[in-house]
Amino acid sequence: MGLGPSSCTPDGDEVSTELSQGCARGCDLCSEFNGCLRCSPKLFILLERNDIRQIGICLPSCPLGYFGLRNTDMNKCIKCKIENCESCFSRNFCTKCKEGLYLHKGRCYVTCPEGYAAANGTMECSSPAQCEMSEWGPWGPCSKKRKLCGFKKGNEDRTRRILQAPSGDVSLCPATTEGKGRKRKSKKKQDNGNRNRKDTKDTKSGTKKRKNKQRGATVPATPASPAQ
């Protein structure tokens, strides 16, 4: 039986132009050599390779490893181009990897990239930003080498707790302690400061006393002149 006239697709695959009247259900146009050529409006056409031929079949949705692309002329199932991808949103963005692989930003990995971990028991890698941290506690006393006195310079520290970590891995969370340097005033400067404050206070007190004394002074009365 002859194959009849044929033409080539843009990919170089040979497609028969000999039409068949006995098309499968959901197929509007078909050929004996290449199966369905055009599906009904709501269906997707999937081209499966059979040796040197491509066989078109009509489906309500695309199978694993493909994504549906709707066009005004015909809806098509396009194969995912990402390695180890089971289903994809577009040609280069995976939404689900094959079993045992982790999904991260549309790609599939054997393990999550550095700094990421699987979130909540899933196979999707999440950022450490999902760690839940408590508020910072108050600053501790100034210390140096774990001693609290006897140094001119020291450090103050404060801490916080990890409330929740991705997959329980606390190593992916931000730091729980932080410190800052602090310089302690010398005793001589403190004494000078106290003395200056005392001198200022005494000066103000003396000025106030002098004002009160001036207000309390009486003016002597002038004796009256005798009548002549």
Side-chain angles (χ1 to χ4, degrees):
M1 179 178 176
L3 297 178
S6 63
S7 62
C8 292
T9 65
D11 296 330
D13 298 308
E14 187 176 352
V15 176
S16 173
T17 57
E18 182 179 357
L19 303 182
S20 173
Q21 300 300 321
C23 295
R25 185 178 180 180
C27 180
D28 292 345
L29 182 65
C30 61
S31 76
E32 184 179 353
F33 187 74
N34 293 105
C36 192
L37 303 176
R38 185 174 66 241
C39 297
S40 299
K42 293 184 178 181
L43 301 180
F44 293 89
I45 186 169
L46 173 66
L47 299 178
E48 292 183 332
R49 184 173 294 278
N50 183 2
D51 198 11
I52 63 172
R53 295 189 301 167
Q54 280 196 142
I55 307 298
I57 58 175
C58 299
L59 300 169
S61 61
C62 296
L64 295 178
Y66 292 81
F67 71 97
L69 181 64
R70 294 187 179 275
N71 290 315
T72 54
D73 56 340
M74 185 166 52
N75 303 324
K76 300 178 181 179
C77 289
I78 309 297
K79 187 175 180 62
C80 301
K81 295 296 183 181
I82 302 168
E83 188 177 0
N84 297 318
C85 181
E86 190 171 279
S87 61
C88 56
F89 172 75
S90 64
R91 189 185 296 269
N92 296 309
F93 194 93
C94 188
T95 55
K96 184 180 180 181
C97 299
K98 292 182 178 179
E99 186 176 357
L101 298 179
Y102 293 89
L103 179 66
H104 178 65
K105 295 184 178 180
R107 295 290 187 271
C108 299
Y109 299 87
V110 177
T111 59
C112 289
E114 185 177 355
Y116 294 83
N120 302 324
T122 66
M123 297 301 288
E124 295 184 13
C125 302
S126 65
S127 169
Q130 293 184 355
C131 285
E132 185 178 352
M133 310 294 293
S134 69
E135 296 294 330
W136 286 106
W139 290 103
C142 185
S143 64
K144 185 176 182 181
K145 296 181 179 180
R146 298 184 180 181
K147 295 182 179 180
L148 301 181
C149 59
F151 299 97
K152 291 183 178 180
K153 295 181 180 180
N155 295 297
E156 290 181 337
D157 298 314
R158 65 177 182 176
T159 61
R160 60 180 176 178
R161 296 181 296 108
I162 299 175
L163 302 179
Q164 185 176 358
S167 301
D169 189 355
V170 296
S171 64
L172 299 176
C173 293
T176 56
T177 61
E178 70 173 0
K180 66 177 182 178
R182 181 178 176 182
K183 187 175 182 180
R184 183 171 59 86
K185 293 182 179 180
S186 64
K187 186 176 180 181
K188 183 177 181 181
K189 290 183 178 181
Q190 290 179 348
D191 292 343
N192 290 336
N194 294 335
R195 188 179 299 112
N196 291 336
R197 285 193 294 270
K198 184 178 179 181
D199 292 344
T200 301
K201 185 176 181 180
D202 292 344
T203 302
K204 290 182 178 179
S205 178
T207 303
K208 187 175 181 180
K209 288 180 179 179
R210 285 194 296 272
K211 288 182 178 181
N212 292 336
K213 186 175 181 180
Q214 291 175 356
R215 290 174 184 173
T218 57
V219 178
T222 304
S225 299
Q228 293 182 357

